[in-house]
């Protein structure tokens, strides 16, 4: 049995190592994947920005003016106008640190950053932007345009003449790469976390790092192309690392970078305390653990094997004590009893170590799932806020489009040529920015002048809802915008969405002459965001059955990956998941559709300027991520002990020196404690070999060969248990221990018979003074009770031991068997 425990210890250590590795690798994989995918989503927006801004009329006019007269570059008027224009743009799109306009020959014509004194560039970027067949040029490398920056990220495209006959310049947008990466890393790595997140270029050089001291920018990290985690050595230290390529967004896969997350090998497998379980009731945790599908069969089997080994040890000790009692000639019987008791106690303590270790690991795995749900909910909110940040920017910038200002200020707005011209521009923008269902221009009366989606052409000339128009026309400046609540609109096929709007102002005056409304394509966009935030398995695939939800503070669903949860309906869940401060998160466990789910929720907290305290944005949004923990819920929520808890025996009753005693063999049937005088007990044996008897009544469990003769085995539970013995027995048989057979002899019957017991207690030496006869009300012909044993003085449990009569058991079952 000691050898069995040693073998089991080896299995336990293997399972511990596997679970720790799985947790560490999933964490690193998630950090690497999220970092590169969030950045890729952000950069996708930049590819649209450069294409549209390169067609800006103010930029085009200036480039043409310089082409006609190179001295224009020294004009204070042009510098003031274009500098103000660039500043307006960066105030809205704060992800850029500089905007540079170049001539086709590489001369710097204008730029936002006046501290950058570059006058000309020889970078091939100019030639590439002038000749590319793509919608943009993207570079991430040192360039003489931005001296002093190791890996600037620049988007460029040619600026064409008014008649589109030839290029008159090249526009460059300079992205705040390090600032953006810092924001991403801070959301992924806690202060006490040893994880380091980096981005690597195609040559495996660090271009961004969450820890510049351990992994400085420019350092080269040797990473293999293998899936899963690997151990790398860098600067004399070993790290566990995971590398993930960009998942891509709407066909854009980024500059070819990868996300790379690492943890020092001596800290990579540290398992934090299961804080996510602190506010979850212990009985709910136990029920989830009993039914959870998170654990491998090998891990599930450890407590069962430990229980089996300890049960066999207990049976050997029990039978040893019975032998000592029956053999009056045994030498040193008292010492042998003590020795057997200590062996039994050692087995219990050993099993307790296994049970405690596996239970703690179960809870750690459960806590890890809860942590993952909370992290993924925070990711969903981060993606949402970054996306809607761009929508708020877009409507404000497009409202400054000179063509829109001029045309809406014209007294003859009904001219078809104007409508066609405006429609073409809106469609061009919508082709670049595919996250919109429709772009709408309206005049100062709220009438639709033009729109990008031809399916809604019948709206031209109609008035928009006053709830859109009035707040938009009342906006005070170009930094302001309005947004509707998440509600249905006829301009989105009757489906709910957000509509962002900004005022379009008279070119020479400040009063609004109309506005622009952009209809967010909410259904597919929110679905894509939530899909990207779903929990994933170790191989990168989605967790089966997991789903994610965006909802308002009141619980009304905005979007869900679960088709049964429709937008507008209310999510039935604990209100605490919604009653959160901005940026706060929560975890918990709930039951849905007959399964336990881990739940993580996170309240939005804005991104950059979006959703600041002065922001007029829509109602706060909560992201919730659900991951299944089981295929079903526990059958009974009451009476199930914790997994690590063995069958508790009441304190053994031992006599004082010189007292007359009787040896009683104690055992459990269900949760009830019984005893039989030891002289009637032969031994306890395993249930293996028990054969059911066809047609026998329920209390006859079958027969088996015992010492070369057939022995009948009875089930006492129907006669003595007051609860549901079969449910208790099924639970204990599957989780705690196996049923055993107590072999008994009756003085008046030579043939032994057996009874089923769920667990063994002590073989107690009971003082005769504590044994009392059965009360008269229990002394009828059907009662199996022979005596009652009072608890001893000082016993912490005032629990009575019920002593059964072997003769009465045999007589009652024989009579009932015959009657059946």
């Amino acid at each position: 049995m000691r050898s069995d425990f040693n073998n089991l210890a080896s299995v336990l250590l293997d399972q511990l190592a596997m679970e720790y590795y799985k947790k560490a690798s999933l964490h690193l994989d998630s950090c690497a994947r999220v970092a590169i995918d969030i950045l890729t989503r952000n950069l996708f927006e930049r590819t649209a920005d450069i294409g549209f801004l390169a067609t800006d009329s103010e930029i085009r006019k200036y480039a043409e003016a310089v082409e006609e007269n190179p001295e224009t570059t020294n004009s204070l008027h042009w510098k003031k106008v274009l500098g103000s224009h660039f500043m307006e743009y960066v105030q809205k799109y704060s992800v850029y640190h500089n905007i540079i306009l170049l001539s086709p020959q590489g001369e710097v014509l204008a730029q936002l950053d006046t501290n950058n004194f570059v006058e000309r560039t020889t970078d091939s970027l100019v030639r590439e932007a002038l000749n590319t067949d793509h919608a943009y040029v993207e570079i991430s490398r040192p360039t003489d345009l931005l001296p002093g920056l190791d890996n600037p990220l620049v988007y460029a495209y040619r600026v064409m003449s008014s008649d589109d006959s030839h290029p008159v310049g090249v526009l460059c947008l300079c992205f705040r790469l390090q600032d953006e990466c810092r924001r991403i890393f801070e959301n992924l790595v806690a202060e006490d976390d040893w994880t380091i997140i980096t981005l690597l270029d195609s040559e495996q050089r660090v271009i961004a790092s969450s820890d510049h001291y351990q992994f400085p920018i420019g350092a080269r990290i040797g990473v293999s192309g293998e899936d899963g985690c690997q151990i790398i050595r860098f600067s004399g230290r070993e790290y566990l690392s995971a590398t993930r390529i960009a998942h891509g967004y709407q066909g854009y896969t980024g500059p070819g970078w990868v996300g790379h997350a690492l943890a020092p090998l001596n800290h990579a497998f540290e398992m934090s305390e299961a804080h996510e379980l602190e506010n979850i009731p212990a009985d709910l945790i136990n029920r989830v653990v009993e039914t959870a599908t998170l654990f491998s069969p090998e891990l599930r089997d450890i407590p069962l094997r430990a229980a089996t080994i300890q049960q066999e040890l207990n049976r050997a000790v029990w039978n040893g004590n019975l032998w000592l009692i029956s053999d009056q000639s045994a030498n040193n019987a008292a010492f042998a009893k003590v020795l057997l008791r200590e062996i039994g106690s050692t087995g219990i303590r050993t099993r307790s170590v296994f049970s405690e270790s596996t239970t703690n690991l179960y809870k750690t795995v459960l806590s890890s799932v809860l942590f993952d749900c909370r992290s993924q909910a925070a990711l969903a909110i981060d993606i949402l806020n970054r996306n809607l940040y761009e929508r708020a920017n877009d409507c404000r910038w497009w409202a400054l489009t000179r063509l829109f200002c001029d045309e809406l200020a014209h007294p003859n707005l009904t001219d078809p040529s104007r409508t066609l011209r405006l429609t073409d521009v809106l469609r061009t923008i919508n082709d670049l920015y595919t996250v919109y269902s429709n772009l709408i221009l309206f005049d100062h009366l709220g009438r639709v002048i033009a729109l990008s989606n031809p399916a809604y052409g019948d709206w031209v000339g109609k008035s928009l809802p006053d709830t859109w128009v009035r707040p938009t026309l009342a906006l005070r400046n170009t930094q302001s915008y309005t947004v509707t609540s998440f509600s249905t609109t006829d301009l989105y096929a009757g489906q709910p969405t957000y509509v962002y709007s900004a005022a379009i102002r008279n070119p020479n005056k400040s009063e609004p002459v109309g506005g622009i409304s952009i209809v967010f394509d909410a259904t597919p966009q929110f679905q894509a965001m939530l899909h990207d935030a779903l929990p994933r398995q170790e191989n990168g695939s989605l967790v089966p059955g997991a789903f994610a939800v965006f909802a308002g503070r009141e619980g009304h669903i905005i979007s869900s990956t679960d088709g049964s949860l429709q937008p507008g309906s209310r999510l039935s869940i604990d209100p605490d998941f919604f009653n959160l401060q901005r940026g706060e998160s929560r975890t918990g466990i709930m039951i849905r559709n007959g399964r336990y789910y881990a739940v993580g929720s996170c309240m939005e907290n804005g991104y950059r300027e979006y959703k600041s305290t002065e922001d007029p944005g829509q109602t706060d949004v909560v992201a919730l991520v659900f991951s299944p923990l089981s295929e079903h819920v526990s059958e009974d929520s009451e009476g199930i002990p914790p997994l690590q808890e063995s069958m508790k025996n009441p304190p053994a009753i031992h006599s004082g020196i010189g007292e007359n005693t009787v040896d009683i063999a104690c055992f459990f049937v269900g949760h009830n404690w019984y005893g039989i005088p030891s002289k009637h007990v032969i031994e306890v044996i395993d249930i293996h070999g028990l054969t059911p008897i066809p047609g026998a009544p329920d209390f006859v469990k079958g027969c088996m060969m015992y010492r070369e003769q057939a022995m009948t085995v009875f089930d006492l539970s129907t006669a003595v248990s007051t609860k549901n013995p079969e449910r208790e027995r099924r639970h204990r048989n599957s989780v705690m221990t196996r049923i055993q057979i107590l072999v008994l002899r009756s003085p008046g019957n030579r043939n032994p018979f057996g009874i089923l017991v769920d667990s063994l207690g002590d073989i107690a030496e009971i003082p005769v003074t504590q044994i009392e006869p059965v009360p008269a009300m229990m002394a009828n012909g059907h009662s199996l009770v022979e005596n009652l044993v009072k608890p001893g003085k000082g016993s912490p449990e005032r629990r009575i031991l019920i002593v059964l009569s072997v003769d009465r058991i045999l007589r009652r079952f024989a009579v009932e068997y015959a009657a059946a």
Side-chain angles (χ1 to χ4, degrees):
M1 292 175 184
R2 180 176 62 187
S3 176
D4 288 342
F5 272 126
N6 285 337
N7 292 336
L8 188 58
S10 177
V11 174
L12 175 60
L13 289 174
D14 286 344
Q15 291 301 310
L16 286 170
M18 290 176 64
E19 292 298 333
Y20 275 49
Y21 173 78
K22 180 180 178 181
K23 180 179 184 293
S25 62
L26 279 173
H27 173 68
L28 293 176
D29 179 89
S30 175
C31 288
R33 175 176 53 82
V34 169
I36 190 61
D37 283 350
I38 284 185
L39 183 64
T40 301
R41 274 180 165 270
N42 192 319
L43 299 186
F44 169 76
E45 300 283 352
R46 314 292 64 91
T47 64
D49 289 349
I50 187 62
F52 177 70
L53 191 59
T55 65
D56 183 85
S57 59
E58 300 292 339
I59 296 174
R60 177 180 287 174
K61 285 180 182 179
Y62 178 57
E64 286 182 316
V66 172
E67 183 182 46
E68 293 177 6
N69 180 13
E71 292 300 320
T72 303
T73 56
N74 298 320
S75 169
L76 292 177
H77 169 73
W78 275 110
K79 286 185 177 181
K80 183 177 179 180
V81 170
L82 205 58
S84 176
H85 201 53
F86 285 171
M87 182 59 70
E88 279 273 12
Y89 191 82
V90 170
Q91 284 178 343
K92 295 166 180 59
Y93 297 89
S94 57
V95 294
Y96 298 111
H97 66 86
N98 199 5
I99 303 175
I100 305 173
L101 177 63
L102 304 171
S103 71
Q105 294 75 37
E107 180 186 359
V108 176
L109 303 181
Q111 62 178 320
L112 176 64
D113 185 1
T114 57
N115 294 320
N116 187 19
F117 296 107
V118 176
E119 296 182 355
R120 176 180 292 275
T121 180
T122 59
D123 199 301
S124 60
L125 167 69
V126 178
R127 184 178 65 257
E128 293 172 17
L130 291 171
N131 300 315
T132 184
D133 293 329
H134 300 289
Y136 60 91
V137 171
E138 179 183 62
I139 68 163
S140 174
R141 52 174 169 76
T143 172
D144 58 6
L145 268 177
L146 298 167
L149 295 182
D150 294 328
N151 285 284
L153 181 58
V154 180
Y155 290 84
Y157 197 63
R158 56 184 171 266
V159 177
M160 300 297 291
S161 61
S162 298
D163 58 3
D164 285 335
S165 62
H166 64 283
V168 292
V170 171
L171 184 68
C172 300
L173 290 175
C174 307
F175 183 68
R176 295 180 182 269
L177 177 61
Q178 297 304 323
D179 177 67
E180 180 61 20
C181 289
R182 177 182 57 80
R183 294 172 184 270
I184 294 173
F185 297 157
E186 286 178 350
N187 286 339
L188 293 174
V189 182
E191 290 185 4
D192 59 347
D193 195 340
W194 286 92
T195 304
I196 306 109
I197 306 177
T198 64
L199 297 180
L200 307 181
D201 63 14
S202 58
E203 297 180 351
Q204 299 185 351
R205 295 189 183 278
V206 177
I207 57 175
S209 172
S210 65
D211 190 331
H212 294 270
Y213 296 100
Q214 292 192 67
F215 290 90
I217 292 176
R220 190 177 187 281
I221 302 177
V223 179
S224 72
E226 299 176 0
D227 292 334
C229 285
Q230 57 181 294
I231 295 174
I232 69 168
R233 181 177 295 176
F234 182 82
S235 191
R237 194 175 192 183
E238 288 185 313
Y239 294 85
L240 186 69
S241 69
T243 307
R244 287 295 173 266
I245 63 172
H247 181 260
Y249 181 64
Q250 296 197 9
Y252 174 74
T253 57
W257 302 337
V258 296
H260 187 62
L262 312 94
L265 200 56
N266 57 322
H267 293 289
F269 304 105
E270 291 180 355
M271 301 285 260
S272 59
E273 294 182 22
H275 296 298
E276 288 76 15
L277 302 178
E278 289 177 351
N279 297 321
I280 300 176
D283 62 331
L284 176 57
I285 295 175
N286 292 328
R287 295 200 298 272
V288 172
V289 167
E290 293 298 332
T291 58
T293 55
L294 306 173
F295 318 119
S296 65
E298 293 80 8
L299 185 56
R300 274 285 189 194
D301 195 44
I302 289 174
L304 302 181
R305 289 178 60 184
T308 300
I309 296 169
Q310 198 251 325
Q311 182 183 47
E312 292 173 353
L313 181 60
N314 283 352
R315 186 160 61 239
V317 170
W318 222 71
N319 289 335
N321 276 310
L322 287 174
W323 175 78
L324 289 172
I325 292 170
S326 63
D327 188 356
Q328 300 299 323
S329 62
N331 294 325
N332 297 319
F335 171 76
K337 286 184 179 181
V338 173
L339 181 61
L340 286 171
R341 188 178 299 118
E342 288 303 313
I343 292 173
S345 298
T346 300
I348 293 173
R349 290 194 297 271
T350 303
R351 179 195 170 186
S352 178
V353 170
F354 282 98
S355 296
E356 184 176 356
S357 298
T358 51
T359 299
N360 288 339
L361 184 55
Y362 289 163
K363 290 182 177 180
T364 300
V365 173
L366 180 58
S367 173
S368 180
V369 175
L370 289 167
F371 176 82
D372 190 37
C373 286
R374 182 174 63 185
S375 299
Q376 295 303 112
L379 170 62
I381 280 295
D382 193 23
I383 294 174
L384 173 78
N385 280 328
R386 288 166 177 273
N387 194 298
L388 298 186
Y389 159 82
E390 303 288 350
R391 313 295 65 91
N393 294 342
D394 290 346
C395 72
R396 292 181 295 169
W397 178 250
W398 296 338
L400 298 179
T401 302
R402 187 58 182 258
L403 176 65
F404 296 162
C405 299
D406 291 340
E407 295 295 341
L408 289 180
H410 200 279
N412 185 15
L413 277 176
T414 58
D415 184 348
S417 63
R418 284 192 169 84
T419 301
L420 182 61
R421 197 157 48 242
L422 293 172
T423 299
D424 287 343
V425 174
L426 291 177
R427 289 180 180 175
T428 299
I429 298 174
N430 211 161
D431 287 342
L432 288 170
Y433 295 83
T434 56
V435 296
Y436 298 112
S437 169
N438 208 348
L439 308 180
I440 305 164
L441 287 177
F442 59 89
D443 64 12
H444 67 286
L445 297 177
R447 293 174 303 191
V448 175
I449 302 302
L451 38 72
S452 65
N453 191 336
Y456 295 88
D458 58 341
W459 271 83
V460 175
K462 294 182 179 179
S463 295
L464 293 174
D466 195 47
T467 52
W468 289 10
V469 175
R470 183 175 296 178
T472 302
L473 296 179
L475 293 174
R476 296 181 179 180
N477 52 54
T478 59
Q479 284 297 103
S480 303
Y481 68 96
T482 65
V483 58
T484 66
S485 62
F486 188 76
S487 56
T488 59
T489 172
D490 292 337
L491 282 160
Y492 192 54
Q495 297 299 310
T497 188
Y498 292 121
V499 179
Y500 289 79
S501 302
I504 297 175
R505 302 178 186 276
N506 189 302
N508 301 315
K509 299 178 182 179
S510 61
E511 71 270 11
V513 292
I516 182 170
S517 293
I518 55 180
V519 182
F520 183 55
D521 197 4
T523 300
Q525 294 301 319
F526 282 152
Q527 285 289 306
M529 296 178 203
L530 291 174
H531 184 272
D532 285 351
L534 288 174
R536 294 180 181 271
Q537 301 181 97
E538 195 173 4
N539 61 3
S541 62
L542 297 177
V543 173
F547 64 96
V549 177
F550 283 136
R553 273 194 180 273
E554 302 302 318
H556 294 290
I557 295 171
I558 293 173
S559 182
S560 171
T561 59
D562 185 333
S564 66
L565 300 174
Q566 292 299 309
S569 62
R570 191 178 182 86
L571 184 62
S572 299
I573 193 174
D574 190 336
D576 287 344
F577 287 104
F578 301 101
N579 297 332
L580 303 172
Q581 299 297 318
R582 291 173 65 84
E584 188 180 5
S585 58
R586 181 179 178 84
T587 59
I589 296 174
M590 64 167 289
I591 298 176
R592 183 175 185 271
N593 294 336
R595 303 173 74 178
Y596 291 113
Y597 279 85
V599 187
S601 71
C602 184
M603 178 66 68
E604 68 175 334
N605 195 31
Y607 168 69
R608 292 184 180 269
E609 304 79 26
Y610 181 71
K611 287 293 184 81
S612 64
T613 55
E614 298 179 355
D615 197 297
Q618 68 276 10
T619 305
D620 287 337
V621 176
V622 181
L624 302 103
V625 173
F626 301 76
S627 185
L629 299 172
S630 67
E631 293 295 339
H632 59 85
V633 298
S634 178
E635 294 181 7
D636 190 347
S637 62
E638 297 180 358
I640 297 179
L643 182 65
Q644 74 272 21
E645 189 176 288
S646 61
M647 186 83 75
K648 288 186 175 180
N649 300 328
I653 307 172
H654 299 289
S655 66
I657 298 176
E659 287 188 278
N660 292 327
T661 63
V662 176
D663 291 310
I664 302 292
C666 305
F667 56 90
F668 286 86
V669 176
H671 288 301
N672 299 316
W673 189 37
Y674 300 100
I676 287 177
S678 298
K679 63 183 179 181
H680 299 311
V681 181
I682 301 174
E683 64 175 323
V684 61
I685 61 176
D686 190 76
I687 197 172
H688 181 71
L690 180 64
T691 304
I693 301 176
D698 291 341
F699 60 83
V700 178
K701 285 306 184 185
C703 64
M704 65 186 306
M705 295 302 296
Y706 178 73
R707 296 182 181 178
E708 303 303 322
Q709 61 178 338
M711 179 181 70
T712 304
V713 178
F714 301 104
D715 185 359
L716 287 181
S717 63
T718 56
V720 300
S721 181
T722 57
K723 293 190 177 181
N724 186 341
E726 281 303 312
R727 190 203 67 81
E728 294 175 0
R729 179 161 290 160
R730 284 197 305 272
H731 173 71
R732 294 197 179 282
N733 191 32
S734 63
V735 176
M736 303 296 296
T737 185
R738 293 183 302 185
I739 300 170
Q740 301 176 81
I741 297 174
L742 204 61
V743 182
L744 306 175
R745 66 164 67 89
S746 172
N749 193 321
R750 295 177 57 187
N751 295 326
F753 67 97
I755 60 172
L756 298 182
V757 297
D758 293 302
S759 186
L760 301 175
D762 290 325
I763 296 181
E765 299 175 23
I766 307 295
V768 174
T769 56
Q770 290 182 223
I771 301 176
E772 293 187 354
V774 180
M777 66 179 63
M778 298 174 60
N780 57 58
H782 296 287
S783 175
L784 306 181
V785 183
E786 185 175 64
N787 292 300
L788 301 178
V789 178
K790 300 181 296 182
K793 292 182 179 180
S795 173
E797 294 190 24
R798 307 296 293 171
R799 191 171 182 181
I800 294 175
L801 172 65
I802 299 175
V803 181
L804 304 178
S805 167
V806 175
D807 284 337
R808 293 182 184 181
I809 293 172
L810 187 61
R811 188 163 53 248
R812 175 169 171 176
F813 283 133
V815 171
E816 292 183 4
Y817 198 179

